[in-house]
Amino acid sequence: MVTERGLQVLRAIVQDYVETHEPVGSRSIVDRHSFGVSAATIRNDMALLEDEELITAPHTSSGRVPTDKGYRVFVNHLAQLRPLSTAQRTAIESFLAAPSDLDDLMVRTVRVLTQLTGQVALAQYPSFARAHLTHIELVALAPTRMLVVLVTDAGGVSQRVTPLPREIDDTDIAVLRARLASLITGQAVSDASERLDALLAAPDAVAKDPVLHTLAGVIVEELGAFRQERLVMAGAATLARREQDFRGSIHPLLEAIEEQVTLLRLMSEMVADEHGLAASIGTENASFGLGEASIVASNYAAPSGTARVGVMGPTRMDYPSNLAAARAVARYLSRMLDEDEASR
């Protein structure tokens, strides 16, 4: 069991080590923090923390550094998050103001978060699997080229240019739009896919109207993309600048960034607290091949459910500041999506 003062000593060690990147000794704790006890007493507290495997000696010096378990206890006992400054909050509001569409909003979200934290920023797209299609538009770009636009009630937009098997005119476009709209408008993404699959499976579908068959196939593919989980990231270059903060290689992190599937699964499985905040630290990520990294995240609300925005970096990170930044960005993102939904 760790005493209350022991937790305060652990907090001091984590804060000082994150700030200085140097092992923390009892004398520096006494000098930098107001514990009101001697260095010998602090050494006893540090010995108990070491027995609990919350801190360790990186070499033979008297200084200690937090272990992954120590970071976990520190995060679990955070009394409060470090508040963002007025300038930081203003930066979030100005950076996320008036996005052109959801993609633009998500890109802006990770860019401002990596600027605030200096870490790799991650944001899950809202899930469109339960969204309903509200609109389909067909725009002729040429007699045999068509732009297909799909819109959902959760803010998802798909645009796809496709070649057509024959030339069509404005009358053909109106008929095709009406036929497709009657099949999918107002339908959930999965139901719309099933309706179009049935159309494509009809034995005479191609013979009756090859253009309709082509467009239905394109729309099915786009609806499949709506059901896939998506992740947007920014700040991968920060890993190279912070490589000395990692005990081992950063290559697994770079591979995870490139593939995304691992990060999507990890972010989805992180357990959030009652405030919607989650952290997965060091060895807790070993099964994902990311035992050198920590991820902190905050839930945000979207019309179709909740998703997460957060940052990934070395275990030696400023957890209170990073969690506060993720929470602030998530709250603003929730507000933007709620206002967009209300305006529909």
Side-chain angles (χ1 to χ4, degrees):
M1 293 293 293
V2 181
T3 65
E4 181 58 35
R5 192 177 65 221
L7 288 174
Q8 293 175 2
V9 171
L10 175 64
R11 187 177 299 117
I13 292 172
V14 171
Q15 292 172 344
D16 289 358
Y17 180 61
V18 168
E19 181 181 341
T20 67
H21 203 181
E22 295 292 336
V24 181
S26 58
R27 175 56 61 186
S28 67
I29 292 176
V30 170
D31 292 341
R32 291 169 62 96
H33 303 272
S34 302
F35 279 95
V37 296
S38 67
T41 300
I42 297 297
R43 280 195 295 275
N44 289 335
D45 291 327
M46 293 174 67
L48 294 174
L49 293 173
E50 195 163 10
D51 289 341
E52 295 290 336
E53 299 180 340
L54 301 180
I55 60 174
T56 188
H59 41 74
T60 56
S61 73
S62 60
R64 299 294 184 270
V65 300
T67 62
D68 290 353
K69 183 180 177 182
Y71 284 123
R72 165 53 63 193
V73 171
F74 169 76
V75 170
N76 287 350
H77 287 84
L78 279 177
Q80 60 184 15
L81 300 184
R82 192 170 300 158
L84 268 62
S85 67
T86 301
Q88 288 173 316
R89 294 187 179 279
T90 300
I92 294 173
E93 293 186 9
S94 60
F95 209 91
L96 299 187
S100 58
D101 55 25
L102 179 64
D103 289 333
D104 184 32
L105 176 60
M106 298 304 290
V107 168
R108 293 186 188 203
T109 295
V110 290
R111 284 180 177 173
V112 72
L113 189 53
T114 197
Q115 288 183 10
L116 289 172
T117 64
Q119 310 286 354
V120 179
L122 315 167
Q124 291 177 311
Y125 266 74
S127 172
F128 299 120
R130 296 184 299 276
H132 289 71
L133 291 155
T134 58
H135 187 67
I136 176 173
E137 188 59 65
L138 304 178
V139 181
L141 303 178
T144 59
R145 282 174 64 81
M146 179 75 73
L147 172 65
V148 182
V149 181
L150 303 173
V151 182
T152 75
D153 59 359
V157 178
S158 163
Q159 300 183 63
R160 171 90 169 265
V161 176
T162 183
L164 302 177
R166 65 173 175 83
E167 292 189 4
I168 60 173
D169 56 25
D170 290 345
T171 301
D172 294 326
I173 293 174
V175 172
L176 289 164
R177 183 190 300 113
R179 177 73 187 279
L180 291 166
S182 68
L183 282 172
I184 66 175
T185 301
Q187 299 295 317
V189 168
S190 58
D191 293 337
S193 293
E194 290 178 3
R195 288 184 166 213
L196 292 173
D197 284 337
L199 174 68
L200 292 168
D204 59 347
V206 177
K208 280 188 173 181
D209 193 338
V211 175
L212 178 63
H213 188 274
T214 297
L215 292 175
V218 167
I219 293 171
V220 167
E221 291 178 3
E222 292 302 294
L223 294 179
F226 274 143
R227 287 183 287 180
Q228 293 176 352
E229 289 191 70
R230 295 175 62 193
L231 187 72
V232 61
M233 291 176 284
T238 64
L239 292 178
R241 293 197 295 269
R242 294 178 175 273
E243 188 168 5
Q244 72 278 3
D245 288 341
F246 294 89
R247 295 184 296 269
S249 172
I250 64 171
H251 291 298
L253 280 74
L254 296 175
E255 291 174 0
I257 288 173
E258 188 169 337
E259 295 177 2
Q260 295 195 9
V261 175
T262 298
L263 291 175
L264 274 168
R265 190 159 56 93
L266 198 163
M267 287 193 71
S268 297
E269 293 182 9
M270 291 168 63
V271 178
D273 64 15
E274 66 273 19
H275 305 295
L277 298 173
S280 193
I281 299 170
T283 51
E284 296 171 0
N285 302 319
S287 61
F288 298 92
L290 298 172
E292 293 288 326
S294 287
I295 295 179
V296 300
S298 176
N299 291 347
Y300 72 88
S304 56
T306 61
R308 282 177 172 156
V309 59
V311 300
M312 176 176 69
T315 54
R316 192 189 74 89
M317 67 162 61
D318 188 342
Y319 291 94
S321 292
N322 290 343
L323 281 165
R327 182 179 63 181
V329 170
R331 286 177 173 175
Y332 197 83
L333 182 57
S334 298
R335 194 170 82 205
M336 294 284 289
L337 292 171
D338 183 61
E339 290 173 356
D340 181 66
E341 174 71 7
S343 66
R344 292 179 186 277

